[in-house]
């Protein structure tokens, strides 16, 4: 029975040729099915004139290349190529076989490591995608899989378990136990030379694991600090067993390639220089000796300027005597120096015969070792981070995986806070950086004044700006995208001690609402600020206080001896102090870590909204508590800040007339904590033609047309509260099996204009 | 569910790739990989080198795709991809020229080398020509058809093929395949609709790579993408 009116001839024609929205299609299909008249009309539709049909009927261009076997191989490699790329490029995919990639854990010489979830077993693992030579060598893969079988059987507290090793999508993949912790390479990098007991305990545990490896007839061949991981509980685990062989045996491995694959030869035994295959467990003992040397002194035996290249270092391992450790560290007990010396003997026969002997020898030096404390300290010590900050307005964060805003501000000892606290004076005068002022004349001519501060003097040099808007300074190709307004100034600060991204975050948190537009230039580590001329000095002074050497990165050993550079306790925080706050987690996707200035009113601004917390008059420990409380509040409270990221010019002036009234076409930058359907809320939003902004796919639209930012903030906040409290459901059609069983589109609940991705999932087995 | 979109323009494959939607990257490679490989081979690269260059091209795409911004509507992804490919091919030839035991080289290779050494605006820089892009778009259409085919039951596909491609009357096809007349119409309509969606998804996203490595950013104004 026909339950609807017949479509008009044009609609039928569009149906015949599939030229319509998917949502309309179902209804017509259902109608036509039961309407003979319409079917008769369909028979008359001529499809020859349709461009798509015409194109499909053309024979495709001759393409014999696509049938070549290399083409297929190339595609297989390209699909996963990015994973093994040397650059830390974001993975272009989120699934690898049955593993769902969660986050990148690191990039090593042998490939990238990701935290991943086994979707069927619901188990979190670490997945290493191994890089390999130019062409896939099946024998190498076969050997790799064979070796991994042996390694997969190993089960020991000091060894990272291997669960699976095989080829997925053309890439050799190793699936391992996921271990939370820090590798000793990074630990040493952050803390510098370690106290004797801790260094010995780390190596002792590694030796225990190595003994087990040895008893199972295996050799590691590439032991080094970065292959040893220590958990927050203080357990050391050996990583990457069996991988060295896989890499050394690459047939295509030229010297440079092998060098890259191995990463470093600082820990390589002399006998491995001539023949890596000959190495036995005593080579691992040598490598462990180098590791101990590194942990105690801060550098590996030949990690000095005298032995720069790979070749020099390898030769040194073979010929040069190891610099006696007591020359570097006289306070090392002579007995320990002897142990190190014996581990580092040139002739394997002169070393300990097996790792168990190393365990026994080191044990007496390990008493009082507090590894959990060591790890806590190392984790608190953020020397740098590599979180790129794309200017002040974050891009739509589609590319960034949802990061839970976990807050775990660690309670630390006074020591940690002592190290973390910097006292920064508020000196005047641009002692650091270069200030470039670009002034635009009314007629569009631009002059560039370069002011190089020198002990309070400001020699000024004036050059003209190139017509393309680029400055004459190398490395500063800026301004070509955004023409400067008349009177606007562009300041470029070259930073010496702090990463420009960090500086941008700190500046934005210090200046809050008057935050200027900023961009960072990674190449020159410069911060480019577009601002009102009146603000240049203020920002310059701020930057100067921020851009200070970080004493926290200096030798920890000194503090251990009681020469701590910390203010007298109890210290009371006062306005003008700078606090270095170290806290896990992020606010608006930006790390909380950073230096915060105590504002004149005694507050610290942790974030742009509701972010001020009063700390003046408190002790450091009290301040810590207050900050934790505030951070919790910020993170749980939906806080909204609406500013404009771009606007539709409605008058000749490109500046938004104050107060700006939101209009369709505006792009709003909404800052808010929290997530909707696992996606961060903050980001740019387009004001749609009807004045609505879509905050989320369900119940998520708010009308902001004609509102000021302040009003919009209230409206958005209310809407967010509503969304976050209401269980919201959106069901859309993403795939179907057969046409007969296809579900009826009318049942779709989501009437929002936001459609799901247009590409339905392929049917099972198709991919 | 992807994050709320900024506008209501339909989600394209590139958007999905940027959002790291599962499978999107693989699909991108499936679609474009053959074209890139073909370009490499056409330039005179040997099969093994072509495979390497394909990998390099996609590595580059992977690390820059997130930086895409909608700019000039005339820019198409295909044209941008061809620019990256051209640069990688040139790099590959340069590497070969640097090798001590460099082989003689085909005519194309000689030409490319001469061109790249002398005047950057001549022949190599002018590749891809309009015809190359048109060819590529046609291959892409073909590839899209192959991929969409996997989504449908064989008999649905056959009904579509016989009517849409071979141009046979629906009634004949229905009799041949033992299907109802309407099922044939429906198959034809459904698959054409699906192809239109997919091709629109390919061409809808017009991109301009913003912060590309210098040499990759300087591509000539490409052809408009084919009609979607």
């Amino acid at each position: 029975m026909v339950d609807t009116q017949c479509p008009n001839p044009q609609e039928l024609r569009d149906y015949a040729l599939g030229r319509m929205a998917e949502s309309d299609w179902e209804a017509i299909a259902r109608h036509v099915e039961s309407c003979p008249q319409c079917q008769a009309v369909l028979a008359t539709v001529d499809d020859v004139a349709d461009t798509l049909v015409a194109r499909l009927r053309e024979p495709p261009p001759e393409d014999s290349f696509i049938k070549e076997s290399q083409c297929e191989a190339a595609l297989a490699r390209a699909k996963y190529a990015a994973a093994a790329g040397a650059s830390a490029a974001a993975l272009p995919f989120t699934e690898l076989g049955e593993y769902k990639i969660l986050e990148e854990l690191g990039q090593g010489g042998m490939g990238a490591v990701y935290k991943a979830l086994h979707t069927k077993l619901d188990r979190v693992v670490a997945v290493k995608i191994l890089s390999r030579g130019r062409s896939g060598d099946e024998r190498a893969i076969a050997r790799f899989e064979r070796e991994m079988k042996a390694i997969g059987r190993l089960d020991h507290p000091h060894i990272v378990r291997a669960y699976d090793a095989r080829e997925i999508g053309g890439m050799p993949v190793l699936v391992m136990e996921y271990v939370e912790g820090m590798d000793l390479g990074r630990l040493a990098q952050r803390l510098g030379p370690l106290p004797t007991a801790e260094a010995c305990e780390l190596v002792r545990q590694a030796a225990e694991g190595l003994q087990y490896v040895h008893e199972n007839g295996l050799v590691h061949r590439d032991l080094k600090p970065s292959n040893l991981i220590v958990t927050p509980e203080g357990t050391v685990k050996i990583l990457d067993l069996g991988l060295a062989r896989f890499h050394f045996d690459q047939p295509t491995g030229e010297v440079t390639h092998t060098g890259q694959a191995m990463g470093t030869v600082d820990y390589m035994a002399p006998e491995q220089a001539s023949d890596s295959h000959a190495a036995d467990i005593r080579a691992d003992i040598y490598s462990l000796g180098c590791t101990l040397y590194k942990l105690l002194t801060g550098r590996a035996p030949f990690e000095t300027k005298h032995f720069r290249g790979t070749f020099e270092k390898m030769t040194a391992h073979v010929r040069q005597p190891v610099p006696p450790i007591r020359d570097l560290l006289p306070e090392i007990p002579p007995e320990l120096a002897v142990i190190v010396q014996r581990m580092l003997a040139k002739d394997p026969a002169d070393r300990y015969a097996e790792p168990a002997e190393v365990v026994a020898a080191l044990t007496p030096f390990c008493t009082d070792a507090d590894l959990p404390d060591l790890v806590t300290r190392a984790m608190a010590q953020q020397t740098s981070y590599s979180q790129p900050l794309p200017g002040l307005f974050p891009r739509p964060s589609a590319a960034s995986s949802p990061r839970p805003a976990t807050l775990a501000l660690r309670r630390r000892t006074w020591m940690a806070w002592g190290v973390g606290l910097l006292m920064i004076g508020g000196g005047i005068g641009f002692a650091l950086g270069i200030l470039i002022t670009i002034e635009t004349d009314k007629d569009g001519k631009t002059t560039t004044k370069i002011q190089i501060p020198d002990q309070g003097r400001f020699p000024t040099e004036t050059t003209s700006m190139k017509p393309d808007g680029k400055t004459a300074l190398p490395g500063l190709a800026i301004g070509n995208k955004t023409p400067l307004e008349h009177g606007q100034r562009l300041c470029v600060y070259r930073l010496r001690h702090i990463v420009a991204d960090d500086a941008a975050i700190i500046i934005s948190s210090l200046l809050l609402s008057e935050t200027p537009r900023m961009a960072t230039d990674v190449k020159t580590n410069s911060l480019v600020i577009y601002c009102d001329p009146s603000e240049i000095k203020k920002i310059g002074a701020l930057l100067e206080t921020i851009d200070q050497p970080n004493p926290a990165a200096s030798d920890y050993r000194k503090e251990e001896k009681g020469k701590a550079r910390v203010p007298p306790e109890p210290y009371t925080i006062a306005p003008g102090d700078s606090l270095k706050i170290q806290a896990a987690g992020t606010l608006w996707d930006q790390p909380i870590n950073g230096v915060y200035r105590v504002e004149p009113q005694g507050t610290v601004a942790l974030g742009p909204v509701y972010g001020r917390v009063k700390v003046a008059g408190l002790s450091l420990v009290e301040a810590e508590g207050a900050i934790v409380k505030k951070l919790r509040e910020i993170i749980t409270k939906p806080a909204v800040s609406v500013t404009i990221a771009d606007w539709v010019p409605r008058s000749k002036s490109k500046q938004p007339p104050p107060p700006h009234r939101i209009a369709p076409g505006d792009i709003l930058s909404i800052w808010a904590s929290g997530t909707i359907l696992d996606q961060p809320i903050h980001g740019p939003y387009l004001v749609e033609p009807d004045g609505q902004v879509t905050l989320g796919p369900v119940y998520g639209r708010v009308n902001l047309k004609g509102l000021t930012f302040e009003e919009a903030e209230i409206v958005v906040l209310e809407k967010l509260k509503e969304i976050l409290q209401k269980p919201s459901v959106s069901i859309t059609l993403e795939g179907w099996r057969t046409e007969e069983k296809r579900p009826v589109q009318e049942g779709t609940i989501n009437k929002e204009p936001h459609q799901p991705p247009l590409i339905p999932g392929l049917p099972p087995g198709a991919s | 569910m992807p994050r709320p979109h900024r506008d209501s323009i339909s989600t394209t494959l590139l958007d999905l790739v940027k959002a790291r939607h599962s499978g999107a990257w693989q699909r991108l490679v499936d679609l474009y990989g053959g074209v890139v490989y073909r370009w490499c081979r056409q330039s005179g690269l040997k099969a093994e080198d072509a495979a390497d260059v394909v990998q390099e091209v996609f590595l580059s795409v992977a690390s820059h795709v997130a930086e895409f911004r909608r700019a000039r509507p005339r820019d198409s992804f295909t044209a941008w991809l061809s620019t990256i490919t051209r640069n990688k091919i040139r790099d590959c030839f340069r590497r070969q020229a640097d090798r001590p035991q460099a082989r003689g080289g085909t005519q194309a290779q000689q030409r490319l080398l001469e061109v790249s050494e002398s005047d950057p605006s001549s022949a190599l820089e002018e590749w891809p020509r309009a015809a190359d892009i048109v060819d590529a778009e046609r291959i892409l259409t073909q590839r899209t058809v192959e991929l969409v085919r996997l989504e449908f039951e064989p008999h649905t596909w056959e009904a579509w093929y016989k009517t849409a491609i071979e141009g046979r009357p629906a009634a004949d096809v229905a009799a041949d395949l033992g299907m109802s007349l309407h099922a044939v119409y429906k198959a034809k309509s459904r698959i054409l609709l699906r192809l239109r969606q997919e091709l629109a998804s390919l061409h809808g996203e017009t991109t301009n790579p913003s912060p590309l490595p210098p040499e990759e950013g300087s591509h000539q104004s490409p052809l408009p993408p084919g009609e979607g």
Side-chain angles (χ1 to χ4, degrees):
Chain A
M1 199 199 92
V2 183
D3 57 351
T4 46
Q5 264 196 322
C6 285
N8 67 39
Q10 183 59 42
E11 283 172 333
L12 278 174
R13 192 181 150 70
D14 288 343
Y15 172 75
L17 297 171
R19 274 197 310 219
M20 53 176 46
E22 190 170 351
S23 47
D24 302 332
W25 186 87
E26 290 283 350
I28 297 186
R30 248 179 311 115
H31 172 86
V32 171
E33 187 162 18
S34 51
C35 178
Q37 292 96 319
C38 285
Q39 290 186 17
V41 176
L42 284 179
T44 68
V45 173
D46 185 11
D47 56 15
V48 179
D50 184 72
T51 40
L52 174 64
V53 172
R55 183 141 54 104
L56 290 170
R57 284 179 185 173
E58 279 174 25
E62 177 57 32
D63 189 8
S64 55
F65 298 126
I66 202 145
K67 295 182 192 84
E68 292 178 354
S69 64
Q70 283 290 339
C71 180
E72 199 183 321
L75 261 61
R77 276 161 59 192
K79 282 181 194 174
Y80 294 99
S87 72
L91 269 182
F93 53 88
T94 52
E95 270 162 33
L96 189 67
E98 61 273 37
Y99 297 99
K100 185 177 190 326
I101 305 285
L102 301 176
E103 61 177 298
E104 180 179 323
L105 295 173
Q107 290 272 349
M110 292 188 190
V113 192
Y114 300 92
K115 186 174 173 180
L117 181 74
H118 190 293
T119 46
K120 298 204 180 84
L121 301 179
D122 208 22
R123 175 163 71 178
V124 174
V125 295
V127 169
K128 187 165 210 161
I129 303 176
L130 303 165
S131 52
R132 64 174 179 194
R134 285 156 49 92
S135 47
D137 177 9
E138 284 176 19
R139 279 177 311 156
I141 296 282
R143 186 169 48 241
F144 164 69
E145 291 185 348
R146 212 166 45 237
E147 284 225 4
M148 281 302 155
K149 258 182 209 153
I151 285 150
R153 281 196 290 269
L154 299 187
D155 183 9
H156 190 268
H158 294 303
I159 291 172
V160 173
R161 285 214 61 174
Y163 293 135
D164 193 3
R166 64 196 161 92
E167 225 185 54
I168 303 179
M171 298 305 304
V173 169
L174 174 64
V175 182
M176 300 167 289
E177 171 191 4
Y178 171 68
V179 178
E180 207 172 328
M182 184 180 276
D183 74 65
L184 299 194
R186 188 168 299 179
L187 185 97
Q189 190 193 344
R190 288 196 177 178
L191 297 179
L194 302 182
T196 307
E198 276 79 7
C200 290
E201 173 63 13
L202 290 168
V203 173
R204 189 196 64 77
Q205 288 194 24
E208 272 194 23
L210 199 57
Q211 176 65 24
Y212 176 80
V213 171
H214 174 53
E215 284 162 9
N216 281 272
L218 294 163
V219 185
H220 190 293
R221 289 193 183 86
D222 192 23
L223 264 190
K224 54 192 175 190
S226 60
N227 276 341
L228 297 170
I229 192 165
V230 56
T231 68
E233 295 76 37
T235 306
V236 177
K237 286 173 184 268
I238 300 175
L239 272 169
D240 283 358
L241 262 166
L243 293 192
R245 186 82 179 259
F246 172 70
H247 268 268
F248 293 147
D249 291 354
Q250 288 288 318
T252 50
E254 304 145 28
V255 173
T256 51
H257 183 241
T258 311
Q260 284 162 4
M262 290 169 354
T264 174
V265 291
D266 281 329
Y267 305 89
M268 185 190 243
E271 62 270 27
Q272 286 176 284
S274 48
D275 182 3
S276 66
H277 296 201
D280 60 18
I281 196 70
R282 291 171 300 178
D284 286 342
I285 290 178
Y286 182 93
S287 300
L288 209 52
C290 293
T291 303
L292 180 55
Y293 196 102
K294 164 87 175 181
L295 297 179
L296 286 167
T297 67
R299 63 174 181 85
F302 301 110
E303 194 184 349
T304 70
K305 61 179 188 317
H306 303 297
F307 311 101
R308 281 179 188 280
T310 302
F311 180 75
E312 283 89 340
K313 283 181 179 175
M314 280 163 84
T315 317
H317 282 295
V318 177
R319 298 217 181 91
Q320 294 284 336
V322 171
I325 196 163
R326 273 167 63 84
D327 287 4
L328 292 154
L329 288 174
E331 66 267 35
I332 291 271
E335 302 82 6
L336 181 56
V338 170
I339 294 170
V340 173
Q341 207 63 33
R342 185 163 171 202
M343 291 173 83
L344 293 176
K346 300 288 179 206
D347 185 345
D350 294 339
R351 292 175 210 147
Y352 295 98
E354 46 176 41
E357 293 179 23
V358 177
V359 174
L362 287 178
T363 302
F365 300 96
C366 299
T367 43
D368 301 336
D370 187 352
L371 293 188
D373 179 58
L374 191 77
V375 177
T376 306
R377 275 209 306 269
M379 287 188 165
Q381 194 87 277
Q382 296 275 356
T383 47
S384 67
Y385 68 95
S386 55
Q387 191 64 50
L389 177 73
L392 267 187
F393 300 114
R395 280 183 291 242
S397 58
S400 69
S401 54
R403 245 174 308 170
T406 52
L407 171 65
L409 194 70
R410 288 166 202 281
R411 293 292 304 179
R412 283 185 305 276
T413 57
W414 156 249
M415 173 63 82
W417 266 97
V419 171
L421 183 82
L422 309 182
M423 300 302 296
I424 296 174
I428 306 297
F430 299 93
L432 299 158
I434 297 176
L435 173 70
I436 299 173
T437 314
I438 296 177
E439 294 178 54
T440 323
D441 297 337
K442 272 210 178 78
D443 56 358
K445 270 191 197 162
T446 309
T447 52
T448 310
K449 284 181 190 163
I450 303 176
Q451 302 181 312
I452 301 167
D454 176 22
Q455 307 289 333
R457 291 187 301 124
F458 284 72
T460 303
E461 192 186 317
T462 306
T463 61
S464 64
M465 205 171 177
K466 287 186 187 169
D468 59 2
K470 290 180 180 175
T471 63
L473 285 191
L476 288 176
I478 37 178
N480 50 345
K481 288 212 183 87
T482 341
L484 288 166
E485 298 294 323
H486 165 65
Q488 193 183 19
R489 299 201 187 185
L490 175 75
C491 312
V492 181
Y493 298 89
R494 291 207 182 165
L495 302 158
R496 290 186 187 176
H497 304 291
I498 185 169
V499 179
D501 283 345
D502 278 340
I505 296 170
I506 296 165
I507 285 286
S508 59
S509 60
L510 288 180
L511 295 177
L512 288 179
S513 56
E514 337 124 80
T515 299
R517 198 148 58 89
M518 285 188 266
T520 55
D521 184 337
V522 181
K523 228 188 232 165
T524 56
N525 196 35
S526 309
L527 188 59
V528 182
I529 303 179
Y530 301 84
C531 61
D532 195 77
S534 61
E535 287 178 331
I536 289 181
K537 273 213 162 170
K538 187 169 78 180
I539 296 169
L542 270 175
L543 270 171
E544 195 200 345
T545 58
I546 293 167
D547 192 28
Q548 298 275 350
N550 182 3
S554 71
D555 194 355
Y556 153 74
R557 200 170 274 274
K558 278 182 195 155
E559 276 142 10
E560 193 189 28
K561 286 178 187 165
K563 295 179 198 163
R565 262 174 301 88
V566 292
E569 196 176 3
Y571 182 80
T572 307
I573 296 171
D577 286 351
S578 288
L579 300 178
K580 177 166 178 164
I581 296 179
Q582 302 184 325
T586 56
L587 279 182
W588 296 282
D589 265 3
Q590 302 186 351
I592 296 165
N593 274 329
V595 176
Y596 294 76
R597 183 76 174 263
V598 181
E599 297 162 314
Q601 65 270 36
T603 50
V604 158
L606 296 166
V609 197
Y610 305 140
R612 284 205 162 81
V613 54
K614 191 165 173 72
V615 291
L618 302 182
S619 74
L620 293 174
V621 177
E622 287 165 344
E624 196 180 328
I627 290 167
V628 172
K629 198 167 154 237
K630 176 51 88 177
L631 283 175
R632 283 219 185 95
E633 185 190 323
I634 298 177
I635 284 168
T636 49
K637 190 194 306 196
V640 179
S641 150
V642 178
T643 52
I644 195 155
D646 203 357
W647 60 89
V648 180
R650 277 180 295 275
S651 62
K652 278 178 190 171
S653 159
K654 283 191 89 181
Q655 293 287 350
H660 182 74
R661 298 263 166 203
I662 294 169
D666 285 352
I667 295 171
L668 301 178
S669 186
I670 296 182
W671 294 67
S673 48
T675 56
I676 294 180
L677 294 175
D678 272 358
Q679 302 290 334
I681 296 165
H682 81 91
Y685 289 79
L686 179 80
V687 182
E688 291 156 35
D690 54 359
Q692 304 261 7
V693 164
T694 305
L695 298 166
V698 196
Y699 310 135
R701 285 158 69 78
V702 282
N703 193 344
L704 299 181
K705 193 173 174 181
L707 303 184
T708 64
F709 296 146
E710 291 73 25
E711 290 161 354
E713 277 170 21
I714 297 167
V715 173
V716 170
L717 181 58
E718 287 308 311
K719 176 51 92 177
L720 283 178
K721 277 187 193 154
E722 181 194 327
I723 297 177
L724 292 172
Q725 277 158 17
K726 195 190 300 194
S728 60
V729 177
S730 156
I731 300 172
T732 51
L733 189 66
E734 241 194 33
W736 50 86
R737 294 223 320 267
T738 67
E739 58 173 20
E740 281 75 23
K741 290 175 188 167
R742 192 176 309 131
V744 176
Q745 182 93 16
E746 258 183 11
T748 300
I749 292 171
N750 184 3
K751 291 291 183 191
E752 299 280 348
H754 287 276
Q755 292 300 319
L758 273 180
I759 301 179
L762 291 174
S767 52
Chain B
M1 179 72 56
R3 70 169 278 113
H5 303 304
R6 289 192 299 142
D7 54 28
S8 51
I9 292 172
S10 63
T11 311
T12 68
L13 179 60
L14 274 184
D15 288 333
L16 294 178
V17 167
K18 286 182 207 169
R20 302 201 285 161
H21 200 270
S22 62
W25 173 258
Q26 278 80 359
R27 196 172 180 88
L28 185 84
V29 175
D30 266 336
L31 272 168
Y32 287 94
V35 171
V36 174
Y37 182 81
R38 175 185 155 96
W39 284 336
C40 294
R41 295 285 283 126
Q42 280 177 334
S43 76
L45 283 177
K46 290 174 72 174
E48 302 78 46
D49 294 330
D52 283 348
V53 171
V54 169
Q55 179 166 344
E56 286 172 27
V57 167
F58 280 98
L59 264 173
S60 189
V61 170
S63 44
H64 295 297
V65 75
E67 296 152 13
F68 280 3
R69 252 174 249 154
R70 195 165 293 139
R72 290 178 299 176
R74 283 166 57 82
D75 292 358
S76 77
F77 179 72
T78 313
W80 180 73
L81 191 67
S82 73
T83 311
I84 295 187
T85 308
R86 181 189 65 205
N87 290 326
K88 297 294 178 195
I89 291 172
R90 193 179 51 200
D91 290 350
C92 184
F93 280 141
R94 279 191 183 144
R95 277 200 303 274
Q96 287 177 358
D98 289 345
R99 281 184 207 158
Q101 68 279 38
R103 44 179 187 265
T106 64
Q107 242 186 333
Q109 182 181 338
Q110 292 288 3
R111 185 172 60 94
L112 284 167
L113 275 176
E114 283 160 20
V115 161
S116 60
E117 301 298 288
S118 56
D119 180 8
S121 65
S122 53
L124 172 67
E125 300 302 318
E126 278 161 22
W127 186 88
R129 291 163 299 135
D132 294 321
I133 296 289
V134 170
D135 265 10
E137 299 283 0
R138 281 165 66 192
I139 291 176
L140 280 173
T141 306
Q142 190 63 27
R143 194 75 194 112
T144 307
V145 170
E146 286 164 27
L147 290 178
V148 165
R149 179 177 189 160
L150 299 172
E151 300 170 17
F152 291 92
E153 298 284 328
H155 69 276
T156 311
W157 189 263
E158 212 178 339
W160 172 77
Y161 192 85
K162 285 179 191 297
T163 49
I165 304 298
E166 295 179 354
R168 293 177 52 193
D172 291 7
V173 175
D176 266 17
L177 299 177
M179 295 165 75
S180 75
L181 184 59
H182 174 253
V184 173
Y185 285 131
K186 198 169 165 186
K188 181 177 176 185
S189 171
R190 180 70 233 183
I191 292 175
L192 281 173
L193 172 71
R194 186 72 193 90
L195 283 170
R196 283 184 208 282
Q197 280 179 346
E198 195 71 353
L199 290 168
S201 161
L202 274 187
H203 297 151
E205 168 87 58
T206 53
T207 56
N208 189 31
S210 38
L212 264 190
E215 59 159 35
E216 291 182 352
S218 60
H219 69 93
Q220 270 74 44
S221 67
L223 273 191
E227 174 272 342

